[in-house]
Amino acid sequence: MSLKPNLKLIAANAVLFGSLLAALACAPTPAHAERLKDLASIGGVRQNQLSGYGLVVGLDGTGDQTTQTPFTVQAIMSMLQQKGVSLPAGTQLQLKNVAAVMVTTSLPAFAQPGQNIDVTVSSMGNAKSLRGGTLLMTPLQGADGQVYAMAQGNVLVGGAGAAAGGASTQVNQLAVGRISAGATVERAVASSLGADNQIKLELNSADFATASRVVEAVNDKFGPGIATALDGRVIRVRVPSSSDQRVSFLGILENMDVKPAEAAAKVILNARTGSIVMNRAVTLDTCAISHGNLSVTIGADTQVSQPPAGSRGATAITQNPSVSVKKDAGKVIMLNGGASLAEVVKAMNAIGATPQDLLSILQALKAAGSLRAELEII
């Protein structure tokens, strides 16, 4: 029995495998069911942003230059006065181990006093690094001006830096750090969850078909009349009056599987980076696309004319402008009506279009009415 490979069999298998991959790539993607918690959120269950102004001390000479950051000096003097330390009038503080910072965090939904949350500490002045510093007690306020948490602790900076002999190197950002469990919640946000024995489900994206499917799925599981669609985004759901039963009901509700409606055809263009993203619902009407490069070069040939020796003439400088136009060979691609995203991308690659060229091509297709998609430029 020969152990040599059968080259014809291998080639046939390779062709069969390639055809299978092509068929799978062209096959329509079935709509998968998603959990309701991934499609919608419960009205009123949200985070709240908090921020505060504080001081980081204990830096190794990498703090703010107080001559250029007067707010750091003012904060230090105010803190010392609160601690009972009086400074003589006209005192000029020259500190290098202190930095003024902004402390930010998000207060989770249903957070209660005594719970700990993480905070981010960011330099406000010209501090070189917050590495090794300690954040002093900082009140964190909400949009209403009320204090909801107090932050304090050692700042952890993920970067590193070194300098010697005029040379320096730095890895990552040194002016921003984080304190794990660095803030303690002092005030809870009032919640109206379940008021009037009802909640509101808010879809992440407004879609009447998806809202209708959610209402149908909820009513099929819990009974008719439990869910009612108010519009294409908000769905009102009746919940039990008991808090224990309500929590159990919402847990089951969030983990229900719902098949969302097909997403609307959309093309996102980023004019700054040239990136383009299209979903699989994007199609084209019958159209022809032409692509060619036209380059215009304008130059000037400078010539110097010297007068003969002994003459009274002056040196003359003249410029002879030159203009040249070069046009590369263009290509025309014909696309039949109903072309899919794969055919669109294949056609664009065939004519050698760059992302910047695609920006203009897609805009022209939209203006001509051939692009069956919403065009959004960011």
Side-chain angles (χ1 to χ4, degrees):
M1 180 178 179
S2 175
L3 297 179
K4 295 182 179 180
N6 191 329
L7 298 181
K8 293 183 178 180
L9 181 60
I10 294 176
N13 290 337
V15 172
L16 179 61
F17 183 68
S19 302
L20 179 60
L21 289 180
L24 291 175
C26 296
T29 304
H32 294 287
E34 298 185 24
R35 295 179 304 174
L36 188 55
K37 67 170 61 177
D38 299 325
L39 296 175
S41 60
I42 300 176
V45 181
R46 46 160 290 182
Q47 295 182 338
N48 290 275
Q49 286 70 37
L50 305 179
S51 64
Y53 173 81
L55 294 173
V56 172
V57 298
L59 302 176
D60 188 14
T62 58
D64 292 338
Q65 298 180 10
T66 52
T67 56
Q68 300 177 6
T69 54
F71 50 85
T72 304
V73 178
Q74 295 176 4
I76 294 172
M77 297 181 67
S78 176
M79 180 196 67
L80 292 177
Q81 290 178 358
Q82 293 178 1
K83 300 295 182 182
V85 179
S86 300
L87 298 177
T91 302
Q92 298 293 330
L93 298 179
Q94 298 293 333
L95 305 176
K96 297 183 179 180
N97 298 337
V98 183
V101 296
M102 286 298 298
V103 184
T104 57
T105 188
S106 293
L107 185 66
F110 310 121
Q112 297 299 314
Q115 294 183 352
N116 294 327
I117 54 178
D118 299 343
V119 296
T120 300
V121 182
S122 306
S123 173
M124 288 183 59
N126 52 11
K128 298 179 180 179
S129 174
L130 299 180
R131 193 177 182 88
T134 300
L135 175 69
L136 298 181
M137 186 170 57
T138 303
L140 302 180
Q141 300 172 330
D144 56 358
Q146 299 292 329
V147 175
Y148 287 90
M150 300 294 294
Q152 183 170 284
N154 297 326
V155 182
L156 178 61
V157 178
S168 63
T169 183
Q170 179 176 318
V171 179
N172 296 333
Q173 176 62 264
L174 301 179
V176 178
R178 192 170 180 83
I179 306 177
S180 298
T184 303
V185 178
E186 300 293 342
R187 183 196 299 264
V189 178
S191 174
S192 59
L193 181 66
D196 299 329
N197 295 334
Q198 64 181 15
I199 64 166
K200 290 183 178 179
L201 289 177
E202 301 173 354
L203 296 179
N204 299 332
S205 299
D207 190 286
F208 289 99
T210 302
S212 177
R213 294 184 182 184
V214 170
V215 171
E216 182 180 357
V218 173
N219 289 336
D220 288 344
K221 188 173 185 63
F222 296 103
I226 296 298
T228 305
L230 301 182
D231 50 39
R233 180 183 292 271
V234 182
I235 302 166
R236 183 173 57 200
V237 180
R238 290 165 49 195
V239 296
S241 58
S242 171
S243 61
D244 186 41
Q245 295 178 355
R246 185 189 311 133
V247 171
S248 178
F249 175 85
L250 293 179
I252 299 174
L253 181 67
E254 286 186 327
N255 286 280
M256 287 181 52
D257 289 335
V258 178
K259 289 185 178 180
E262 184 73 19
K266 199 168 189 178
V267 180
I268 307 297
L269 307 178
N270 192 322
R272 296 182 296 275
T273 62
S275 58
I276 300 175
V277 178
M278 297 179 281
N279 60 17
R280 64 188 182 93
V282 176
T283 58
L284 291 177
D285 283 335
T286 302
C287 63
I289 303 174
S290 176
H291 175 72
N293 293 327
L294 180 67
S295 59
V296 180
T297 304
I298 302 176
D301 183 16
T302 303
Q303 296 181 352
V304 180
S305 176
Q306 294 284 356
S311 66
R312 297 183 179 181
T315 301
I317 300 177
T318 59
Q319 290 186 347
N320 297 325
S322 61
V323 179
S324 61
V325 179
K326 180 182 178 182
K327 185 176 182 180
D328 297 336
K331 297 181 180 180
V332 178
I333 297 296
M334 184 68 180
L335 291 178
N336 296 323
S340 63
L341 173 60
E343 294 171 332
V344 173
V345 174
K346 183 178 179 180
M348 297 301 181
N349 292 332
I351 62 178
T354 64
Q356 291 296 335
D357 296 330
L358 289 178
L359 294 176
S360 300
I361 292 175
L362 291 175
Q363 285 178 330
L365 289 174
K366 182 64 175 179
S370 298
L371 180 63
R372 293 180 178 176
E374 178 185 354
L375 193 61
E376 180 178 347
I377 302 176
I378 60 176

